[in-house]
Amino acid sequence: MSYKLIYTIPYASLNNEACVVEIEKEDYTGLPTELTGSESPFEVEIDDNDFLYAPTRFSTARIRVVGSDYLQELYSTSYQQYRVTFKRDGVVTWCGFVKPEVYTQDYSSDKFELEIECMSAMSVLEFIKYKQTGADGKVFTSLWDLLKKCVVASRGQYSAVYIPHVYAKDMESYAAWEDVLIQMLVSEQDFFDEDDKPMKLKEVLEEMCKFLNWTCVDYLGELYFVDMDHDGEYYRYNLDMTVFSKATRGPVLNVQKVGFLGNNHALDFLPGYNKCIVRTSNYPVGSVFIEEDFNTAKVIDRYKKINSSNPSAPQRTETTYVFLKPNTYKDYHYVYNEYNIPDFGIEKGWNIVSQDRFEETSPDIKLSMFGATIMKRCEIQFKDGVSSAFNYDFENLIKLCVSQTNFVFPNTEITTLLPIGKVLLNLGEYLPCASYIDGAISINMSILTDGMARQTPGIDAEFNFQPIKMYFKLKIGEYYYNGTNWVKNESTFGVEFENTNRAYEQYNFINVKNTKTIDMPYNGMSGYIIPIKGIALTGSPSLQIVGFFARGSGVYDYDNRQFGCFVKDIKVQYQKEDIDGLNVSENSDRYYENIVNEDYINELDEIEFKISSYNNDGACYSKVLIDGKYLTDNLYSSVMGEPTRPEEQLIHRIINRYSATHVKLTQVIKETPKLTPLTKLSDNFMVDKKFMPIGGSIDYKTGQYRCIMVDV
């Protein structure tokens, strides 16, 4: 991506300042052309909003040239193809882009005035989609990185970025000028809806500004994040936001001393408010571990197996298997080779089988291949030639195969056992990236062992020596669960099943052994419980089945050998721990409000936060983390002089600011570089009042600034 000059519009202002409008084209290779400006070649309109806490106030511009060329090349469909930079005495004073497909021109004469509309660089964020940081799923990102992402994506040529020194973890960090935005994290999933459609970057920026009670303003070639209630210092960063110096608001400017360039002045009174509601739009995680939908999975093969040499024998069992390609889960298959065969690219040991290769194998091979196979199964028993089935219902199953025995003449057998640690089934990739704190994960399923023991009566006691276990690998962020604790080194853990003689004698499915105890604060949970207590697990969970073991230990080891199992009704859930006396749904939005005088209520429009603090809301994407914990009411604010909750702080600011009516002035004054979005103004006819600029328009030919200001 590179820009090269295609048009220039030079002119001099009435103050004899050298002005030039430069229009660059992306990937242009030609020479620039000089155009002739009209009587007013370049004007800027700054968005005005009476509400002081509006999250953004951006600008638009108009270029006017005179000639006979319609310049139709400028009217593209790309919002960042033509970059516009206005310079005054060599200093960048405005930057943005030509607004595509919008123009006005005379069509009645050979020479005419052509008007080109432009929008500031930050305004273009309205058309740029948010893109996740990494290729391997969504992650947590800092508010600082989000802010930088917006500035970089704007492609603006801002000479500086101002950020108020307002927030910190605590007073000590504030005194040390530690930038708390770097430490405040939020899940990227907060910027994607349930259909994975991303927000636009302007909306992301607005949500950050609302959360921080700031207003983003582009002005005089610089970018400002203005805190209306902060009279202290600011960080003044360079464009790549790597180095900063300290800056202040500067002295109060008197409009009479600045001087007037017109008499089109106006005075308005703005209403006050004594009620304000902030709604935090919770974005709950919902189902963390999504279950496979067997009914929508693609059918890749079918197979009927009869346990009799005579297919029409009166006493027989017929089993029909329908092999499926999963949509949510990911199944893995393996083959074992005794030798290296370089000519065929086959290595000794375990080789993974691709999905395509698995689908090409015969049905009987699919049924016995190492790994996990998603299927539907219907087993029908015939007694005296009569079927025991009525509806021929299929069960949704996952077959795990971990052992095979090959018999070689004479009387030699080779047993191959898939080692624990090989991934059999991934129960979901790129699961919800969120913070899992003070909750638990439960694992439930039932299994039917598949092997010699199921067919050999009287040996169930052997299995009591070796509990039936399925092995898992569970990872959230940097942490693994090892069966007891959450650790940073890669670990697996075993889940035991109910091991009763009766289950084997009747060939029944057996359930996961319940580890829930009475003192666990997870009402309604059961199965194998994995507590998350005293640790912040932040990131995208990953859960894999990595082994299965059910084998006897005595002299009858051969008879007890298991080939694997059939699994049904896998259910993995995350649940927040119970909170006594709190009746708040995790899916509901939370409301903060303030009423000063119930007899007279002038209510401000409801303000919505899509980035918010935590208030026992459950696992939500929209909640901010700091130091591995949810941000609550503990963000230090120099405006408040104490730790605060951002939502409540905004209400406090609004009520303090709008408890009475405000004066709004519109005055036509001389444009001066001394006047910035941080500058306070005074007027000789408004004694004891100070004003802040909130918008207006500037004609850089005449140096006239129609300045709109509100008393603060």
Side-chain angles (χ1 to χ4, degrees):
M1 178 199 70
S2 63
Y3 288 91
K4 187 177 179 182
L5 203 60
I6 184 171
Y7 296 113
T8 62
I9 309 167
Y11 68 95
S13 72
L14 296 183
N15 294 325
N16 205 28
E17 299 164 314
C19 301
V20 61
V21 180
E22 297 179 345
I23 303 177
E24 299 170 286
K25 182 180 180 181
E26 188 176 12
D27 300 325
Y28 180 62
T29 57
L31 297 174
T33 300
E34 183 175 305
L35 304 176
T36 302
S38 70
E39 184 177 347
S40 179
F42 191 76
E43 290 184 0
V44 170
E45 188 80 22
I46 304 166
D47 182 29
D48 61 327
N49 189 320
D50 292 343
F51 185 54
L52 291 175
Y53 300 99
T56 58
R57 283 195 185 94
F58 295 144
S59 59
T60 57
R62 286 183 176 85
I63 302 171
R64 296 185 182 93
V65 295
V66 175
S68 57
D69 189 343
Y70 290 114
L71 303 178
Q72 294 187 28
E73 184 183 28
L74 289 176
Y75 310 117
S76 68
T77 57
S78 170
Y79 279 86
Q80 289 182 314
Q81 185 173 5
Y82 292 94
R83 185 166 67 183
V84 177
T85 307
F86 173 70
K87 296 179 181 178
R88 181 172 56 182
D89 287 336
V91 177
V92 174
T93 308
W94 191 89
C95 56
F97 295 88
V98 172
K99 190 174 183 180
E101 300 178 331
V102 179
Y103 56 94
T104 303
Q105 63 190 40
D106 183 280
Y107 197 64
S108 60
S109 58
D110 293 337
K111 283 196 173 184
F112 49 83
E113 181 179 288
L114 179 66
E115 184 176 288
I116 303 168
E117 293 190 30
C118 309
M119 55 199 308
S120 70
M122 293 299 286
S123 298
V124 177
L125 297 179
E126 180 182 354
F127 307 99
I128 301 175
K129 295 178 181 178
Y130 183 90
K131 293 182 180 179
Q132 65 188 46
T133 303
D136 297 330
K138 300 176 182 68
V139 298
F140 271 80
T141 186
S142 69
L143 298 190
W144 177 254
D145 286 338
L146 288 173
L147 191 150
K148 287 180 65 176
K149 182 190 285 281
C150 292
V151 174
V152 170
S154 76
R155 301 187 190 177
Q157 300 190 87
Y158 298 107
S159 55
V161 180
Y162 290 81
I163 298 176
H165 180 43
V166 172
Y167 299 111
K169 289 193 302 182
D170 47 46
M171 293 184 64
E172 291 76 16
S173 300
Y174 184 81
W177 279 73
E178 293 182 11
D179 194 339
V180 73
L181 299 185
I182 298 173
Q183 303 165 60
M184 297 170 71
L185 307 178
V186 66
S187 173
E188 286 188 304
Q189 183 61 51
D190 193 34
F191 312 124
F192 294 81
D193 65 15
E194 291 81 357
D195 298 322
D196 216 31
K197 182 179 178 182
M199 278 186 185
K200 299 296 174 41
L201 283 179
K202 184 182 178 185
E203 188 178 0
V204 174
L205 180 68
E206 288 175 338
E207 291 304 325
M208 282 193 292
C209 288
K210 283 193 288 185
F211 180 73
L212 297 167
N213 307 168
W214 293 347
T215 302
C216 183
V217 184
D218 54 67
Y219 184 79
L220 290 179
E222 297 180 317
L223 188 62
Y224 294 83
F225 289 86
V226 181
D227 191 313
M228 286 293 181
D229 302 305
H230 177 59
D231 290 325
E233 294 177 295
Y234 278 68
Y235 300 86
R236 185 183 188 275
Y237 280 95
N238 57 351
L239 182 57
D240 61 9
M241 302 175 71
T242 56
V243 179
F244 76 89
S245 57
K246 297 178 182 179
T248 63
R249 281 188 178 273
V252 176
L253 283 183
N254 180 269
V255 293
Q256 278 77 20
K257 290 184 178 180
V258 171
F260 298 96
L261 276 180
N263 55 10
N264 187 19
H265 309 311
L267 182 148
D268 296 283
F269 285 96
L270 303 179
Y273 303 102
N274 61 357
K275 181 178 180 181
C276 176
I277 297 177
V278 174
R279 174 170 64 92
T280 61
S281 180
N282 284 342
Y283 189 176
V285 169
S287 179
V288 178
F289 300 92
I290 303 172
E291 298 177 30
E292 179 64 47
D293 186 349
F294 286 76
N295 295 323
T296 61
K298 177 185 175 183
V299 175
I300 59 176
D301 213 340
R302 300 178 71 93
Y303 179 53
K304 179 182 286 188
K305 184 176 181 181
I306 302 175
N307 71 337
S308 172
S309 57
N310 181 2
S312 59
Q315 314 292 336
R316 68 184 188 278
T317 300
E318 291 183 2
T319 307
T320 300
Y321 301 91
V322 178
F323 300 97
L324 305 173
K325 181 179 180 179
N327 295 314
T328 301
Y329 298 160
K330 180 173 176 55
D331 51 1
Y332 292 81
H333 303 93
Y334 302 88
V335 294
Y336 184 81
N337 298 289
E338 287 291 321
Y339 307 98
N340 284 317
I341 310 177
D343 292 344
F344 293 91
I346 297 175
E347 299 178 357
K348 182 177 181 179
W350 294 100
N351 290 260
I352 196 164
V353 179
S354 69
Q355 178 65 31
D356 291 342
R357 184 70 185 93
F358 174 73
E359 291 182 17
E360 291 170 358
T361 60
S362 61
D364 57 326
I365 296 296
K366 287 184 177 70
L367 193 62
S368 60
M369 185 175 287
F370 288 110
T373 303
I374 314 296
M375 63 174 62
K376 287 177 173 285
R377 187 190 72 165
C378 180
E379 188 171 87
I380 305 171
Q381 294 182 352
F382 288 85
K383 186 175 182 180
D384 297 329
V386 178
S387 170
S388 60
F390 293 98
N391 296 320
Y392 301 101
D393 291 332
F394 281 79
E395 290 181 296
N396 298 327
L397 300 174
I398 302 169
K399 185 176 188 298
L400 303 183
C401 182
V402 297
S403 177
Q404 290 179 356
T405 300
N406 299 317
F407 294 93
V408 181
F409 183 83
N411 299 324
T412 303
E413 71 176 62
I414 300 174
T415 300
T416 308
L417 183 66
L418 186 69
I420 293 171
K422 292 288 185 183
V423 182
L424 300 171
L425 187 70
N426 193 331
L427 292 167
E429 293 183 300
Y430 311 133
L431 297 174
C433 179
S435 182
Y436 301 91
I437 302 175
D438 295 336
I441 294 172
S442 64
I443 299 176
N444 277 288
M445 71 181 75
S446 59
I447 65 168
L448 178 66
T449 56
D450 180 42
M452 301 300 286
R454 205 185 103 177
Q455 302 167 11
T456 308
I459 64 164
D460 301 291
E462 293 291 334
F463 280 88
N464 292 327
F465 293 106
Q466 295 285 342
I468 300 174
K469 281 188 177 182
M470 189 175 292
Y471 291 87
F472 291 83
K473 182 186 293 182
L474 173 61
K475 181 176 183 285
I476 302 179
E478 299 180 305
Y479 289 88
Y480 294 84
Y481 185 66
N482 66 1
T484 306
N485 300 307
W486 290 93
V487 296
K488 286 194 173 182
N489 55 300
E490 187 171 344
S491 304
T492 62
F493 62 96
V495 174
E496 292 189 19
F497 290 80
E498 297 172 349
N499 195 0
T500 63
N501 291 346
R502 182 179 178 185
Y504 286 100
E505 291 171 354
Q506 296 183 355
Y507 312 112
N508 288 336
F509 279 85
I510 55 176
N511 296 323
V512 169
K513 186 178 290 185
N514 188 17
T515 63
K516 170 79 176 296
T517 61
I518 194 170
D519 57 339
M520 288 184 175
Y522 317 115
N523 186 42
M525 288 192 99
S526 63
Y528 184 87
I529 307 297
I530 303 171
I532 303 173
K533 187 70 176 175
I535 186 172
L537 301 178
T538 303
S540 177
S542 171
L543 180 64
Q544 300 170 337
I545 298 176
V546 295
F548 178 76
F549 183 80
R551 191 175 181 184
S553 61
V555 294
Y556 301 106
D557 205 26
Y558 164 75
D559 291 329
N560 296 351
R561 187 174 299 112
Q562 296 296 291
F563 298 143
C565 65
F566 290 96
V567 183
K568 74 174 180 179
D569 299 333
I570 294 182
K571 195 171 187 65
V572 184
Q573 291 180 298
Y574 167 80
Q575 181 175 312
K576 186 177 176 291
E577 71 176 25
D578 306 332
I579 300 177
D580 295 335
L582 187 65
N583 186 22
V584 177
S585 169
E586 294 184 8
N587 297 322
S588 63
D589 295 339
R590 187 175 289 277
Y591 291 82
Y592 300 85
E593 63 182 88
N594 178 289
I595 300 175
V596 176
N597 184 348
E598 293 188 3
D599 296 327
Y600 172 74
I601 295 178
N602 192 17
E603 185 174 348
L604 182 69
D605 291 340
E606 182 179 283
I607 300 171
E608 180 184 12
F609 276 26
K610 292 182 180 177
I611 299 175
S612 55
S613 64
Y614 183 79
N615 200 354
N616 295 311
D617 303 293
C620 292
Y621 298 121
S622 52
K623 304 305 173 184
V624 172
L625 294 173
I626 185 167
D627 284 345
K629 298 178 181 178
Y630 282 124
L631 177 72
T632 56
D633 55 359
N634 55 345
L635 180 65
Y636 176 78
S637 167
S638 64
V639 172
M640 304 295 291
E642 61 184 4
T644 184
R645 186 182 297 279
E647 297 90 335
E648 294 176 345
Q649 178 188 214
L650 179 59
I651 292 177
H652 183 85
R653 290 185 185 213
I654 290 173
I655 297 302
N656 283 350
R657 180 71 66 187
Y658 286 97
S659 58
T661 58
H662 280 260
V663 174
K664 174 182 175 182
L665 287 179
T666 301
Q667 304 198 75
V668 183
I669 62 176
K670 294 179 182 179
E671 189 277 324
T672 171
K674 295 180 181 179
L675 177 54
T676 76
L678 302 181
T679 307
K680 288 188 177 181
L681 298 159
S682 66
D683 187 290
N684 292 341
F685 299 99
M686 293 283 177
V687 182
D688 298 329
K689 285 189 179 293
K690 298 294 184 291
F691 297 85
M692 288 284 289
I694 62 167
S697 58
I698 302 173
D699 185 335
Y700 284 100
K701 176 76 172 184
T702 62
Q704 185 184 80
Y705 183 8
R706 186 180 61 87
C707 182
I708 303 172
M709 57 192 85
V710 174
D711 76 290
V712 292

